[in-house]
Amino acid sequence: QVELRESGGGSVKAGEQLFLNCEAPDPSYTAKCMGWFRQVPGKEREGIASVFMYDGEEYYSDSVKGRFTIARDITHNTVYLQMRSVKPDDTAMYYCAADFCLPDGRPRGYPQRWAPPPETYWGRGTQVTVSS
């Protein structure tokens, strides 16, 4: 089992920005891809941002494209998510994930709803709440 450590999150107002970080601290593990999913109660988990650790190719859902930016630090097996112009609809539990992608780096299911395979590694989640 691979540990993913999330940090960031919290409560912000609409229009503000927020940063999420995720690290895979085990030095023996090298992620193929890392990214973020989010979930609100009663709804399916939604993939929103992903980066292929090999070449930095980025993938976004339509719901966050143009507002969120994902970046990677391959030396530290870490990804960062900058969330700009947040909206109340961005309120959710945000989960870091790793190795949910195809061999070419695309998230499984992309550009439709992402479909992470059972072998995906997950963080515990961090809450983001956006007030109007």
Side-chain angles (χ1 to χ4, degrees):
Q1 185 67 22
V2 171
E3 179 188 8
L4 299 177
R5 291 181 186 168
E6 298 139 331
S7 59
S11 298
V12 293
K13 294 186 177 179
E16 295 181 345
Q17 76 171 353
L18 198 64
F19 292 88
L20 302 181
N21 300 332
C22 176
E23 177 191 13
D26 185 350
S28 68
Y29 168 69
T30 301
K32 300 178 187 63
C33 64
M34 295 180 71
W36 295 90
F37 289 69
R38 66 185 184 186
Q39 189 171 25
V40 297
K43 291 191 175 181
E44 290 185 38
R45 195 168 292 190
E46 174 194 19
I48 59 167
S50 173
V51 61
F52 190 31
M53 302 299 277
Y54 174 70
D55 63 4
E57 185 75 21
E58 301 166 23
Y59 302 89
Y60 299 96
S61 67
D62 288 342
S63 59
V64 306
K65 192 177 298 181
R67 299 188 298 122
F68 292 8
T69 302
I70 191 169
R72 81 195 198 286
D73 177 349
I74 59 175
T75 301
H76 298 98
N77 239 8
T78 298
V79 292
Y80 308 94
L81 185 69
Q82 180 185 25
M83 305 167 59
R84 301 185 304 276
S85 301
V86 296
K87 308 173 183 177
D89 284 350
D90 294 320
T91 296
M93 184 70 78
Y94 283 69
Y95 296 91
C96 180
D99 292 350
F100 50 88
C101 55
L102 299 170
D104 64 0
R106 288 177 296 141
R108 281 188 54 179
Y110 180 88
Q112 306 302 322
R113 174 172 287 277
W114 301 5
E119 56 267 29
T120 299
Y121 299 115
W122 295 99
R124 294 186 175 184
T126 184
Q127 179 68 35
V128 172
T129 302
V130 183
S131 59
S132 57

